[in-house]
Each structure stands twice: as C-alpha cells, then as structure tokens.
Amino acid sequence: MKAQYDLVIVGAGSGGYIAAIRAGQLGLSVACIESNPYAAPDGQARPGGTCLNVGCIPSKALLASSHLYEQVVHHTAEHGITTGGAAIEVDKMIDRKDGVVSKMAKGIEYLFKKNKVDFIKARARFVGMQDGVYSLEVSAENSVQEISAGNVIIATGSKPRQLPGTRIDNAIICDNAGALDFREVPKRLCVVGAGVIGLELGSVWRRLGADVTLLDAMPDFLPGCDTAVSKEMLKLMSGQGLKFDLGVSIDSIALSGGGVQISYRDRAGAAKELACDKVIVAIGRVPNTDGLGIEAIGLELDQRGYVPVDEHCRTILPNLFAIGDVVRGPMLAHKAEEEGIMVAEIVAGQSGQVNYAAIPFIIYTSPEAAWVGKTEQELAREGRAFKSGQFPFSANGRALGHGDAQGFVKVLADAESDLVLGVHIVSSLASEMIGEAAMALEFSASSEDIARICHAHPTLYEAIREASLAVDKRALNI
C-alpha cells in the first residue's frame, strides 16, 4: 500500500474493478478498496461486488443447473431420449455455484496484479480534502492507515431494499443473497417482488419442484418492458407454473410453525393469507453509501440516496467521481463497467463516454427477455411516429429444431428516417442475440441496414432480420 495514488476506487464490484484495471492499463497508480467478504471461506474481502458474489453470476449458475434438470426430467422424450430416476442434489448444485464464483474472484485478483493495481482489503472512509487531494482512512482488522489520491471513484454499489417491518434472517425469510444458498428445495415458496430478480430466483426453485407464488405491488407485470414483451412473458411464466398476484400490499410477514405466514391485500383491497416454507424478498435495491464519510468532504446525496453526477459521472467536487448502482440509471453490471472505463480514461486525460441509450436489458428466465432502446409506450408518450415489425420464432427453423420456438423479435424504427429506435426479444437465447441490436443502435443503423445484412441460416438471429423486414411489411418467412 502506497501513501498516495493517482486514483483510488472505493468498491471492487463490476464498475470498480473494471475501472481499476483500465486505469492500470493506462499507467496510473491505482488502489481498489473492498471490505465485503461475501461468502469467502477465509473471511477476507473479495472482489466482484454484488454481481459476482450474490447476484448475476451465482444466479446464472443456478439457472443453468435448474434448466438442465428440468430439460432432463420433462423435455427429452420429444427427442426420443428416455430417462428415469433423475434427481437433483441441491448441495452439489450450490457447491458448483460457489466454485464458479470463487474461480472468477481469483481471476479478478490475478488481473489486479497483472495491471499493478493495489487491492486493499479494508474499509475506507473519507476524512478530508485539501488542495485537490482526498484523504481516506483505510481500516482493516488489525490496522488503520491513511492514504490519499488526486482522483477518487465511489463505486460502492447497492444493497437490497428492505421491506418495512420484515426482518431478513436468510434462513426462512431471505433476500436475494440468502435465496442463492437454499440447501433443499422448499415445497412452498413466496417471492415478494415479480421483477427481474424475483422472476429469475423464482424460476430456479420452481424448476426444481417448488410451488412458487410471486407477489408484487405494481399492478402491471414488468412495467418497464415493451407491452408485447410483458404480455408474452406473463403468459409463458404463468404457463410454466409460476403464480402471480399483482397490485398487492403486504401487511405482515411472520414466522409461523417452522414456516412463514404472509398477510396481504390484493388489488381490490381484499385481505389474503399465504402460508409457505420460505420467502424471498426481492423488491429492488438501494444505493450503498453507509460509512463512507462523505460529510467530511461536503458531498451531499440526492433525495433518493444517490450520489449526484453529470453525464461523465463527475460529482460537484473536483476529481471525485461516482459510478454504478450508487448513481442514476439502471442498476446493471455492464452499465457500471462502461462507466468505470469512461472515468478511468477521463482521469488519464482521454475522452471517455457512455451511450446510455444503447444499454441492453436482460431477464435470464426461460425463455429469456432482452431489449435495447425505446419501448412502444415510450415512443407513444414522446409523440414520436414509428413503424413496428415483429417476427415469431414459431416460423424459425433453428428454434423449431431446438424444440423451443416461444417468443418473437420486435423492431421499432422511426417512421420517416427508418432509424432503429428499439429492439425487443423473447427467446431462449435472447441474451446472446441482443448484442446485434445494441450495435445497430450504437451505429445508428436503420431497419433497412439490418435487413440487408446476410444472416446465417439456420440461426435464431435470422429473426432479427425478419423483424426488420417486417417493419416495411416484407418479411420473407411469414
């Protein structure tokens, strides 16, 4: 640990560690500070943040395992494959998930060393700023030191939003972290929150045999999605056995006889009771600025607890930046990464930027939902004239061959210029296909541009071309 750095990053999550690596590549002296061990066996702070340790990566590992189990049990007969006696060993599934996380965490520490980044496993807080240099107190288990830097990035991420009056024990009543460590499949599971996290976690345990009910305060399902996507996803998720009660208000969640009793009111105001074995509270996340000591440097948060920043993630204080979940915008790991790269390049004297209009969103259920750009509702509110083209995977040869022809691609384009404004996909591999759409938005492509690109056959992504053709009512396969 040095006394002074060009750049100090508080937080080693998706935005923080990527910013540190990029700054190291650019020749800056860099320290990245992290205090959270998550579930590290040695109890030492571990890089990767929420995404790697208790979010994106472990949940995708469990989704993969549960999807494979469901395929073996329920979907091999149509391929002429007979199976019998398939069983899930939850402990092994969880251990595999933990192994994936540990491997990636070790990989980040290797990248820190490779790029000459000092990874400081400690808690950091601001103690002052003088002559453009920030001082931070760095406290580990047996030591307290002070370091300084001409530039600082706050990358402390987010934490689960709490449900008032409900105590999370991560044994029976869990947040998203606890939901990743069940050691047996609950017979009855309630998920409070039917957003992205709730749907993904609910899907994992539903596939393994749990009876899953999702409660959500919003009257509409996935209100941030294009209407066509939300309608399709509700139909498909319900068809798989997930139960939904929307527009509810929770009165209480209480332990009862080894399980949980949930009292709530439905959208009509009628009182309801739901008994289950476990509850997952997944009602979103809030910025994490606890213990940062921002008052010591005169930094104030906005009304929602975010650090105010401009389009380049600068705060009102000189050479102090904030990125990721702690600032405005979607709480997405890849958004935080892009901001981290941008700020590192700015600190190094380059002109970094992030195109917030081309950030993709993904829900990793089965099928997946992915989108980038504007929804039809947003364009209608803006009063912007647009054209729409849609193509179903039921007319796609590769999807039919896979035995998974659910969903569609929808392309929205400007009525006059034909500029692509938004692309929305429901498909088993929507997460992999949305990259083409993001590139189209990034390079200001028209639907005609996409339609004239040769797409390999047979592939799922041919549907993007067909939907682009459908914008002008000239799709070839429907």
Side-chain angles (χ1 to χ4, degrees):
M1 186 190 305
K2 303 173 186 176
Q4 185 164 351
Y5 294 87
D6 296 324
L7 174 64
V8 165
I9 302 161
V10 184
S14 299
Y17 88 78
I18 288 292
I21 290 169
R22 182 65 183 127
Q25 290 175 342
L26 292 168
L28 301 176
S29 61
V30 188
C32 190
I33 307 171
E34 178 60 61
S35 63
N36 198 331
Y38 295 98
D42 60 2
Q44 294 292 305
R46 192 156 70 174
T50 294
C51 175
L52 172 56
N53 291 285
V54 291
C56 317
I57 301 304
S59 64
K60 303 314 167 279
L62 295 184
L63 281 161
S65 297
S66 62
H67 179 69
L68 184 59
Y69 172 76
E70 184 174 57
Q71 291 296 108
V72 169
V73 173
H74 298 293
H75 299 292
T76 58
E78 64 187 90
H79 295 275
I81 302 170
T82 302
T83 61
I88 184 73
E89 293 184 47
V90 176
D91 279 340
K92 284 189 176 180
M93 180 181 77
I94 298 298
D95 290 344
R96 174 186 176 275
K97 175 263 297 181
D98 291 341
V100 170
V101 171
S102 294
K103 183 176 182 177
M104 291 198 68
K106 290 175 183 176
I108 294 172
E109 294 206 45
Y110 163 75
L111 291 171
F112 280 157
K113 292 177 182 178
K114 177 183 175 182
N115 292 284
K116 298 181 174 59
V117 173
D118 285 350
F119 181 39
I120 302 174
K121 300 180 180 183
R123 180 172 293 278
R125 71 180 184 89
F126 290 98
V127 292
M129 189 265 282
Q130 187 173 3
D131 298 327
V133 176
Y134 293 90
S135 298
L136 297 100
E137 181 184 270
V138 178
S139 55
E141 187 174 345
N142 298 311
S143 66
V144 178
Q145 300 182 53
E146 192 169 299
I147 62 173
S148 59
N151 301 272
V152 177
I153 301 175
I154 299 172
T156 47
S158 60
K159 57 187 176 181
R161 186 185 300 278
Q162 299 298 305
L163 187 64
T166 301
R167 187 179 71 85
I168 301 295
D169 59 20
N170 274 334
I172 303 297
I173 304 174
C174 306
D175 58 19
N176 61 287
L180 298 169
D181 281 322
F182 292 173
R183 290 289 167 169
E184 60 182 16
V185 180
K187 291 182 179 179
R188 301 165 301 171
L189 173 66
C190 175
V191 182
V192 180
V196 176
I197 296 172
L199 281 175
E200 291 182 359
L201 294 175
S203 292
V204 168
W205 299 107
R206 194 280 307 163
R207 293 170 187 169
L208 302 181
D211 181 356
V212 180
T213 301
L214 294 99
L215 307 177
D216 199 282
M218 298 298 292
D220 298 318
F221 182 65
L222 296 176
C225 293
D226 189 89
T227 301
V229 171
S230 58
K231 286 181 179 178
E232 182 79 354
M233 289 295 286
L234 181 58
K235 179 186 74 175
L236 295 174
M237 296 296 100
S238 298
Q240 292 174 9
L242 291 174
K243 303 172 186 174
F244 296 91
D245 203 346
L246 306 177
V248 310
S249 59
I250 305 294
D251 291 328
S252 66
I253 299 177
L255 298 176
S256 175
V260 189
Q261 191 74 21
I262 303 164
S263 300
Y264 69 99
R265 296 184 181 276
D266 66 16
R267 68 173 70 202
K272 288 190 173 183
E273 298 284 331
L274 179 66
C276 55
D277 301 297
K278 288 184 183 289
V279 172
I280 301 172
V281 178
I283 56 173
R285 302 181 65 82
V286 294
N288 180 28
T289 55
D290 297 346
L292 265 179
I294 58 174
E295 62 281 353
I297 54 174
L299 181 65
E300 295 184 358
L301 306 178
D302 69 16
Q303 291 181 340
R304 297 188 299 159
Y306 291 97
V307 178
V309 293
D310 66 12
E311 69 275 13
H312 292 107
C313 292
R314 292 186 178 93
T315 70
I316 61 169
L317 300 179
N319 301 321
L320 178 66
F321 302 82
I323 62 174
D325 289 3
V326 81
V327 303
R328 77 289 178 268
M331 289 185 172
L332 298 170
H334 44 283
K335 175 256 195 183
E337 290 179 0
E338 293 305 307
E339 290 176 333
I341 294 167
M342 172 179 69
V343 172
E345 292 176 349
I346 289 171
V347 170
Q350 299 183 6
S351 54
Q353 64 174 1
V354 175
N355 182 0
Y356 289 97
I359 294 176
F361 295 74
I362 304 168
I363 304 174
Y364 293 88
T365 47
S366 182
E368 298 172 342
W371 64 97
V372 62
K374 299 284 189 178
T375 66
E376 193 167 315
Q377 305 96 280
E378 288 174 319
L379 293 174
R381 285 196 297 268
E382 293 171 6
R384 186 164 187 176
F386 64 91
K387 303 177 290 184
S388 176
Q390 191 163 313
F391 186 83
F393 282 100
S394 59
N396 177 273
R398 186 70 184 276
L400 290 166
H402 277 182
D404 190 356
Q406 304 171 104
F408 57 83
V409 175
K410 179 178 179 179
V411 174
L412 301 171
D414 186 87
E416 293 185 10
S417 69
D418 195 39
L419 181 73
V420 175
L421 302 175
V423 179
H424 308 269
I425 306 174
V426 175
S427 166
S428 58
L429 288 175
S431 59
E432 300 300 327
M433 288 188 283
I434 200 63
E436 179 182 9
M439 186 174 291
L441 265 71
E442 186 66 42
F443 288 95
S444 302
S446 66
S447 68
E448 178 73 10
D449 290 330
I450 298 175
R452 289 194 175 275
I453 294 172
C454 180
H455 288 62
H457 175 78
T459 58
L460 294 178
Y461 88 123
E462 285 179 280
I464 299 177
R465 182 192 189 199
E466 289 281 0
S468 297
L469 287 165
V471 167
D472 285 322
K473 297 180 174 54
R474 55 193 182 97
L476 297 170
N477 284 285
I478 51 171

